[in-house]
Amino acid sequence: MPAREVVILRIGHRPERDQRVTTHVGLTGRALGAAGMYLAASDKGVVRSIADVVGRWGGDFFCEDNVKWRSCIKEWKASGGSVVHLTMYGLNLPDVVGEIRPRKKILVIVGAEKVPGEIYGLSDYNVAVTAQPHSEISSLALFLDHLFSGEELRNEFPGAQIRIVPSKAGKQTEGR
Amino acid sequence: MPAREVVILRIGHRPERDQRVTTHVGLTGRALGAAGMYLAASDKGVVRSIADVVGRWGGDFFCEDNVKWRSCIKEWKASGGSVVHLTMYGLNLPDVVGEIRPRKKILVIVGAEKVPGEIYGLSDYNVAVTAQPHSEISSLALFLDHLFSGEELRNEFPGAQIRIVPSKAGKQTEGR
């Protein structure tokens, strides 16, 4: 696991409609080296789904709901952390990732459809993963992969109950 | 746009439940250099959403529903194309992408929760983007980004009605 601490802040989540997408955001963060996700909404379904994956697949990714985004950002910055907001309006990933990479604590804000205008000013970096509309899930994935230079693809998750044995064709797992 | 032709085949799509995720799969494919998406289900909502984005944001990404996956794979292979199936059970992306990169025609199979076992044998490559559970959207994003070596992040989309002007903070667009 990297020495860098990266945590996601998911904002604009609407409990019914966004449960699946927000769960994918959290799982993508976990698989690609983030330490956890703050959810600026109340949704125990998301918290449970992610805890369930962590229990079976290992690691110690956390998911906390009912987080207030303004104080979360403020505290993060007060503790010396940097704030990156993923938005299609920002500077293109390959142009800024080199400047972000040396930072030790990074809060990654992942918005749903509407994001309060204030977020743009509060963030140290507004980063676009292409200036095209696609998905906050793919944006987060590419941001983390470029941040960690692809090394996160070989992360291990200690304490797993189940582990996949990579294979050319078919499904092979080992459990305990 | 790359000389390589990459097309997505989305299987296992359930019209109500998966509309949003499949749309994100298509838009991710479009933004990251794929030529189009075949959808092995009937869902005009997905086709319309993607056509709408193409109309406003440019390029010529296609989306075709009601595709039969078996004949789609068969025809693709008959025309000399390679088939890559994204699955957490496959070989890890960094270990196989170098072998896939020289191929000129690539069909990328993106499954939903359940994938017919037959797909593993029909595919030339079963590729895992980490052996952890996350999202077919992030798997597709990382596969395309590694395939195109990050160059797709600077793709242009001719004929756009709207274009974002990347900025440090705020939203800036230009239209015609």
Side-chain angles (χ1 to χ4, degrees):
Chain A
M1 290 282 167
R4 226 180 266 112
E5 186 192 0
V6 179
V7 174
I8 297 156
L9 170 59
R10 169 65 164 170
I11 61 169
H13 170 90
R14 294 151 300 176
E16 284 304 304
R17 199 180 128 91
D18 295 332
Q19 200 163 71
R20 193 156 160 219
V21 171
T22 296
T23 301
H24 283 211
V25 166
L27 295 181
T28 295
R30 172 185 172 277
L32 303 177
M37 176 168 76
Y38 296 123
L39 177 54
S42 171
D43 197 327
K44 294 302 173 212
V46 172
V47 174
R48 247 192 322 264
S49 298
I50 290 175
D52 181 58
V53 168
V54 173
R56 283 182 298 142
W57 294 88
D60 52 6
F61 188 85
F62 72 84
C63 179
E64 191 183 323
D65 72 340
N66 284 318
V67 169
K68 302 208 181 307
W69 61 264
R70 263 191 206 84
S71 43
C72 178
I73 293 172
K74 202 186 237 178
E75 285 165 28
W76 190 269
K77 290 172 100 171
S79 77
S82 300
V83 178
V84 171
H85 171 217
L86 299 180
T87 163
M88 65 195 292
Y89 296 98
L91 299 177
N92 202 9
L93 176 62
D95 298 329
V96 285
V97 69
E99 202 182 311
I100 299 170
R101 209 174 274 128
R103 317 253 154 184
K104 289 292 173 215
K105 278 191 70 174
I106 301 169
L107 186 70
V108 187
I109 304 179
V110 177
E113 275 167 45
K114 302 241 157 149
V115 169
E118 210 180 327
I119 295 283
Y120 290 84
L122 286 171
S123 302
D124 297 304
Y125 299 95
N126 288 284
V127 177
V129 178
T130 82
Q132 295 291 320
H134 47 101
S135 171
E136 58 264 56
I137 301 167
S138 36
S139 295
L140 176 65
L142 290 191
F143 175 75
L144 293 173
D145 185 56
H146 284 243
L147 181 73
F148 293 126
S149 309
E151 286 164 19
E152 85 292 347
L153 295 174
R154 302 196 188 276
N155 281 350
E156 298 283 340
F157 293 80
Q161 286 170 19
I162 182 170
R163 205 180 74 82
I164 286 172
V165 183
S167 61
K168 273 196 123 161
K171 301 181 178 188
Q172 214 186 322
T173 56
E174 55 186 28
R176 25 157 229 200
Chain B
M1 291 283 167
R4 226 180 264 112
E5 185 191 0
V6 179
V7 174
I8 297 156
L9 169 60
R10 169 67 162 169
I11 61 170
H13 170 89
R14 294 150 300 175
E16 283 304 303
R17 200 180 129 89
D18 296 331
Q19 199 163 70
R20 194 155 160 221
V21 170
T22 297
T23 301
H24 282 211
V25 166
L27 294 180
T28 295
R30 173 187 170 275
L32 302 177
M37 177 167 75
Y38 295 123
L39 176 54
S42 171
D43 198 327
K44 294 301 172 211
V46 172
V47 174
R48 246 191 323 265
S49 298
I50 291 176
D52 182 57
V53 168
V54 173
R56 283 183 297 141
W57 295 87
D60 52 5
F61 189 85
F62 71 84
C63 180
E64 189 183 326
D65 73 339
N66 284 316
V67 167
K68 302 210 179 308
W69 61 264
R70 263 193 205 85
S71 43
C72 178
I73 295 171
K74 201 186 241 179
E75 285 164 28
W76 189 269
K77 292 173 98 171
S79 76
S82 299
V83 178
V84 171
H85 171 218
L86 299 180
T87 164
M88 65 196 293
Y89 297 98
L91 299 177
N92 203 8
L93 176 62
D95 298 330
V96 284
V97 69
E99 203 181 313
I100 298 171
R101 209 174 274 128
R103 315 256 155 185
K104 290 292 172 212
K105 279 190 69 173
I106 302 168
L107 185 70
V108 187
I109 304 179
V110 177
E113 276 167 46
K114 302 241 157 147
V115 168
E118 208 181 328
I119 295 283
Y120 291 84
L122 285 173
S123 301
D124 297 304
Y125 298 96
N126 289 283
V127 177
V129 177
T130 80
Q132 296 291 320
H134 48 103
S135 171
E136 60 264 56
I137 300 168
S138 38
S139 296
L140 176 64
L142 291 191
F143 174 74
L144 292 174
D145 186 57
H146 284 244
L147 181 71
F148 293 126
S149 308
E151 286 164 20
E152 84 293 346
L153 294 174
R154 301 196 189 277
N155 281 351
E156 300 282 343
F157 293 79
Q161 286 169 19
I162 183 170
R163 205 181 73 83
I164 287 173
V165 183
S167 62
K168 272 195 124 161
K171 299 182 179 187
Q172 214 186 321
T173 56
E174 54 185 29
R176 29 155 224 200

